[in-house]
């Protein structure tokens, strides 16, 4: 059962554009929502994370938007760069639940 | 910085062999995890451990077992490897369940 649904599966963006990846979750007990970035040949690395007491968190060019009532959250990458080309995973967890990952989005930023 | 080290980057084994994948973390984390990563399916949890000698099944434990004899080391065992276990295997650790997981760089396992 997929508790976290992620879209799109792949995304192509021009350099300087905005990349948007969306995730939806089912379990209302989830209270920690991280995004991971994975480059080829490497393991996923934490990029940015949010807890549901805020609706938005920004770190540099990366922003998480969180909608608790809709059970959705998204990653926005502003001014996308070729170096941002990677696979991105959203995830969700709680104190009593192991982390659930989305299926991943392969982002390609064209120069 | 947390370091999670997986013993092999690439491994080729034969059907029916018993396969051991090793993972070591250096940050005294309580929790350790084994995931399988397949295209379009994301990361699927095989097993996790919240303490030495303790383990919990994840979503896809069939055909796998685990061992955690020391806090820093978590082993994944394929009892009798089959071709459908060809995949990328990722190990991770975290201090508590609801905090970031730190991943190793993975073992790409091929079963022939």
């Amino acid at each position: 059962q997929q508790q976290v649904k992620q879209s799109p599966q792949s995304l192509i963006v021009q350099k300087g554009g905005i990349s948007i990846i969306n995730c939806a979750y089912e379990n209302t007990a989830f209270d920690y929502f991280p995004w991971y970035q994975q480059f080829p040949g490497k393991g996923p690395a934490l990029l940015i994370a949010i807890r549901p007491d805020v609706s938005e968190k920004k770190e540099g060019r990366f922003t998480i938007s969180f909608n608790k009532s809709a059970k959705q959250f998204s990653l926005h990458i502003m001014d996308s760069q070729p170096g941002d080309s990677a696979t991105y995973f959203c995830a969700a967890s709680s104190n009593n639940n192991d982390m659930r990952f989305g299926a991943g989005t392969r982002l390609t930023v064209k120069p | 910085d947390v370091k999670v080290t997986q013993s092999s980057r690439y491994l080729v084994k034969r059907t029916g062999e018993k396969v051991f994948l090793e993972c070591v973390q250096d940050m005294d984390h309580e929790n350790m995890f084994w995931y399988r990563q397949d295209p379009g399916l994301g990361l699927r949890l095989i097993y996790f451990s919240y303490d030495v000698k303790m383990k919990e099944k994840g979503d896809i434990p069939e055909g796998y077992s685990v061992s955690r004899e020391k806090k820093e080391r978590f082993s994944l065992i394929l009892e009798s490897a089959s071709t459908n276990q060809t995949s990328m295997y990722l190990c991770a650790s975290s201090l508590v369940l609801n905090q970031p997981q730190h991943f190793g760089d993975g073992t790409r396992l091929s079963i022939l």
Side-chain angles (χ1 to χ4, degrees):
Chain A
Q1 69 284 14
Q2 193 172 11
Q3 295 191 32
V4 179
K5 293 185 179 177
Q6 182 173 345
S7 62
Q9 217 171 16
S10 64
L11 182 61
I12 300 174
V13 172
Q14 290 295 129
K15 179 182 174 182
I18 302 173
S19 305
I20 302 173
I21 305 170
N22 300 298
C23 284
Y25 63 97
E26 298 169 1
N27 189 341
T28 54
F30 288 145
D31 61 359
Y32 177 66
F33 302 91
W35 284 89
Y36 287 84
Q37 180 187 54
Q38 184 180 30
F39 293 107
K42 295 288 187 181
L46 179 69
L47 182 64
I48 186 172
I50 197 168
R51 294 197 185 265
D53 51 341
V54 295
S55 60
E56 187 174 281
K57 182 173 182 180
K58 185 175 180 178
E59 289 183 2
R61 295 184 294 109
F62 300 92
T63 300
I64 300 179
S65 297
F66 184 80
N67 185 330
K68 189 174 181 178
S69 60
K71 293 188 285 184
Q72 294 175 348
F73 58 110
S74 59
L75 176 70
H76 291 63
I77 306 174
M78 311 300 286
D79 187 26
S80 299
Q81 299 296 312
D84 297 330
S85 296
T87 299
Y88 293 81
F89 294 96
C90 62
S93 70
S94 71
N95 277 332
N96 298 317
N97 289 278
D98 51 271
M99 195 166 288
R100 296 288 164 169
F101 289 84
T105 297
R106 178 175 284 186
L107 171 66
T108 302
V109 181
K110 297 207 162 194
Chain B
D1 238 8
V2 176
K3 191 158 179 65
V4 177
T5 303
Q6 295 184 231
S7 55
S8 305
R9 293 298 304 275
Y10 301 94
L11 212 49
V12 180
K13 296 291 182 181
R14 297 213 171 271
T15 304
E17 278 191 70
K18 191 168 186 175
V19 181
F20 294 84
L21 303 184
E22 307 287 343
C23 175
V24 177
Q25 51 99 358
D26 66 357
M27 281 302 291
D28 203 34
H29 281 174
E30 303 294 328
N31 304 288
M32 295 188 74
F33 308 84
W34 275 107
Y35 292 93
R36 173 177 170 154
Q37 181 177 11
D38 299 289
L41 297 178
L43 278 66
R44 292 181 293 166
L45 183 65
I46 304 172
Y47 270 97
F48 75 97
S49 168
Y50 53 90
D51 201 350
V52 175
K53 296 192 187 294
M54 306 304 289
K55 61 185 179 185
E56 290 283 343
K57 291 181 180 179
D59 295 324
I60 51 166
E62 296 79 19
Y64 303 94
S65 63
V66 290
S67 172
R68 194 168 180 201
E69 296 296 318
K70 293 185 177 181
K71 192 174 186 179
E72 68 271 18
R73 186 179 297 269
F74 193 34
S75 303
L76 179 70
I77 303 153
L78 284 66
E79 298 291 344
S80 177
S82 64
T83 55
N84 63 13
Q85 292 177 310
T86 291
S87 187
M88 170 69 84
Y89 290 87
L90 290 164
C91 174
S93 73
S94 72
L95 188 58
V96 295
L97 272 184
N98 210 17
Q99 285 195 6
Q101 292 186 13
H102 301 267
F103 285 84
D105 284 337
T107 295
R108 186 164 292 283
L109 175 65
S110 295
I111 307 295
L112 305 179

